[in-house]
Amino acid sequence: MYDLERYLNVRSATGATLGPEGQVAFRMDTTGTFQVWGIDEPGGWPEQRTFYEDSVSFASYSPERPELIFGKDEGGNERLQLFRLDSDGQITALTDHPESKHRWGGWSRDGERFAFASNRRDEEVFDVYLQGRDDDEAQLIHEGDGWLSVGGWSPNDDRLLVSEAHSNFDQDVYVLDIESGEMDHLTPHEGDVRYGSAQWAPDGDGIYLVTDDGADLRWLARLDLDGSLHEVRSDDEWNIDGVAIDVDTGRLVYSRNVDGYTELTVGELTDETTIEEFPTPDLPGGLAGGVSWGPDAEQFAITVTGRTVNTNVYIVETETGEATRWTHAATAGIPESTFVEPDLVHFETFDGREIPAYFSLPPADARDEGGVPVIVDIHGGPESQRRPSFSGLTQYFCSRGYAVFEPNVRGSTGYGTSYMRLDDVENRMDSVKDLRAGVDWLRGNPAVDPERFVAMGGSYGGFMMLSAMTEYPDLWAAGVDVVGIANFVTFLENTGSWRRSLREAEYGSLDEDREFLESISPINSADRIDAPLFVLHGENDPRVPVGEAEQIVEEVQAQGVPVELLVFEDEGHGISKRENRIEAYTRVVDFLDEHV
């Protein structure tokens, strides 16, 4: 058996970007946080390029020079700043507005400028900016009135693709003329429609994107600049998740989300809506994404992961599908053969629907004769999906004799728009009923101890696990709340102002739905929690402020229930630094061993 620190020391290499001469840079967490690294050949010795205490969130090579731009915040506050890293290792700060967020929008095709969205002018909205690679300040070219992001430069560098999110299930797409400042709205619509993964067409006369316009499942479409939408590919069972297109060649990769696993299609556009397919690359793990094209689109880099395969970067030959592993992020000496693969299961819930879940049982030699305890691990979002990527913590729990159950309750993405909308506002607690149904299903497994269930969740999943403990207190032996929502009213009052309108679209508004929000807030039923509770939070969390943790701990303590609170001063929305994760989850494991 390996200790927790070993499992949390399993490395990840991700987010590769390919330079104009085939250079490969990526992010890796060898030092405990994600930094920029470079590598010259498959399996070569990587060179560390950045050296910060905080994680680098992205890196993007210039299309013309051996330099890249990367982003980093401070202490998890999500106020991302941009930096340029030159080939000689020199780093230049490009933005000096530490109170503002910056959302990367891409290099111009000539490599002379870059674009981004920022809330410098007004913290609640995002504007569009351009900046020269050597300039100290950016030019404001469009004032927004909502959540804008820049999707890339047109083939001749005269226009920008701009998206606006009204909520996680309703977006719009625009084209911004750089010289005139005019913004053309391409997607006027009624109701809620998602438009995502937008990319310029090679001819510059259209956009490729995935949308659920007129359908329950997302499909791949071409959107002409006159607003007309044309089908390129669709699927009768599963969402098309996203698309990556090389503007010079028309080569593309798109992905289907098949019950949480990735299925890739690689090909080349032969006309506006026809794809000539190339062989599918043989990649391990079952999950892949983050495509970065190389020169002339002869190759692309992609990040690969799976529940028994830690995260690494592969490079694929576009025409042949031949895939080569470039990075070898270490598994801390733990044999991959010991990692547990989950079973994909489905259970019936209160209204007859089938709810998907991943269920990982510990190895036979780690199981208790009287049945194993089960950690019911609930994802955040709620517009998200638990997918079977690598998790050192999950593998550690399995090695210690815990089973792990990860449901995608109603409200999760990946199963169609109607499924995603089933928990909206007044139906919020139906998703908690799904958790109850999942526990009932687990009780039917002879390997499970029906008296030892643990509710665990992060962010919105923290709300879910707290609600499960207040709604069904008899089910749980313990709970673990990570940056969770305890009180929807105070959460919406105190979350980052730039996020509030998006969150109100999902949960309900303070003006119109306050009474309902109070009624479903776990804080107002905390007297029903009678199982021990562990609460983790980051002091700098801009999404779910630390006050949510402090409130629930105070209320549960008042009931005389065992409760522990651990707050990290240098973390935000989640525990990201490895040394903090080791401390946090060592405490969690000790807590569970004591109470479960």
Side-chain angles (χ1 to χ4, degrees), residues 266-463:
V266 181
E268 184 174 326
L269 291 163
T270 57
D271 59 35
E272 293 180 351
T273 59
T274 304
I275 300 172
E276 176 190 354
E277 292 190 16
F278 298 144
T280 301
D282 184 15
L283 298 169
L287 292 175
V291 169
S292 175
W293 292 102
D296 301 320
E298 294 179 355
Q299 299 175 318
F300 61 89
I302 192 166
T303 300
V304 172
T305 187
R307 189 51 58 85
T308 61
V309 175
N310 67 316
T311 307
N312 274 286
V313 172
Y314 282 68
I315 291 184
V316 177
E317 302 296 324
T318 306
E319 290 189 16
T320 67
E322 180 183 353
T324 303
R325 178 174 171 175
W326 270 62
T327 66
H328 289 266
T331 62
I334 304 174
E336 290 187 0
S337 60
T338 66
F339 296 147
V340 175
E341 184 78 46
D343 290 327
L344 175 63
V345 302
H346 297 80
F347 61 89
E348 185 175 320
T349 190
F350 68 95
D351 59 359
R353 297 179 189 275
E354 291 288 313
I355 305 296
Y358 300 103
F359 184 40
S360 303
L361 275 168
D365 59 3
R367 301 181 192 179
D368 291 345
E369 290 185 4
V372 298
V374 183
I375 295 172
V376 179
D377 187 4
I378 308 149
H379 70 70
E383 308 92 342
S384 185
Q385 180 186 22
R386 179 57 55 86
R387 304 182 75 168
S389 58
F390 185 81
S391 166
L393 182 61
T394 299
Q395 293 298 340
Y396 175 73
F397 280 136
C398 289
S399 76
R400 285 290 298 268
Y402 290 90
V404 179
F405 184 72
E406 304 163 280
N408 279 310
V409 298
R410 68 189 63 213
S412 302
T413 56
Y415 308 96
T417 300
S418 59
Y419 189 83
M420 184 182 70
R421 301 301 300 269
L422 286 174
D423 69 338
D424 287 356
V425 192
E426 291 85 356
N427 297 321
R428 179 70 48 209
M429 301 307 288
D430 285 352
S431 58
V432 183
K433 293 179 183 177
D434 291 342
L435 293 179
R436 172 62 189 259
V439 171
D440 289 342
W441 180 87
L442 286 166
R443 282 176 162 161
N445 190 311
V448 168
D449 182 345
E451 302 301 320
R452 293 193 291 167
F453 290 108
V454 177
M456 184 169 79
S459 189
Y460 175 80
F463 155 74

Side-chain angles (χ1 to χ4, degrees), residues 172-206:
D172 270 303
V173 178
Y174 302 82
V175 169
L176 174 60
D177 186 282
I178 292 173
E179 184 174 348
S180 70
E182 294 182 3
M183 188 115 99
D184 290 335
H185 185 193
L186 304 187
T187 54
H189 61 274
E190 296 182 359
D192 294 332
V193 180
R194 290 182 293 168
Y195 300 97
S197 192
Q199 314 261 307
W200 280 98
D203 57 18
D205 292 330

Side-chain angles (χ1 to χ4, degrees), residues 35 47 51 77 102 124-125 153 186 189 208 214 230 255-256 265 319 333 391 452 472-474 520 544 563 581:
Q35 301 300 314
E47 176 191 2
F51 302 84
N77 66 6
H102 299 82
E124 296 188 12
V125 302
W153 297 68
L186 304 187
H189 61 274
Y208 287 91
H230 310 278
S255 60
R256 289 194 311 146
T265 298
E319 290 189 16
S391 166
R452 293 193 291 167
Y472 310 109
D474 58 310
I520 65 169
V544 181
V563 59
R581 287 177 58 79

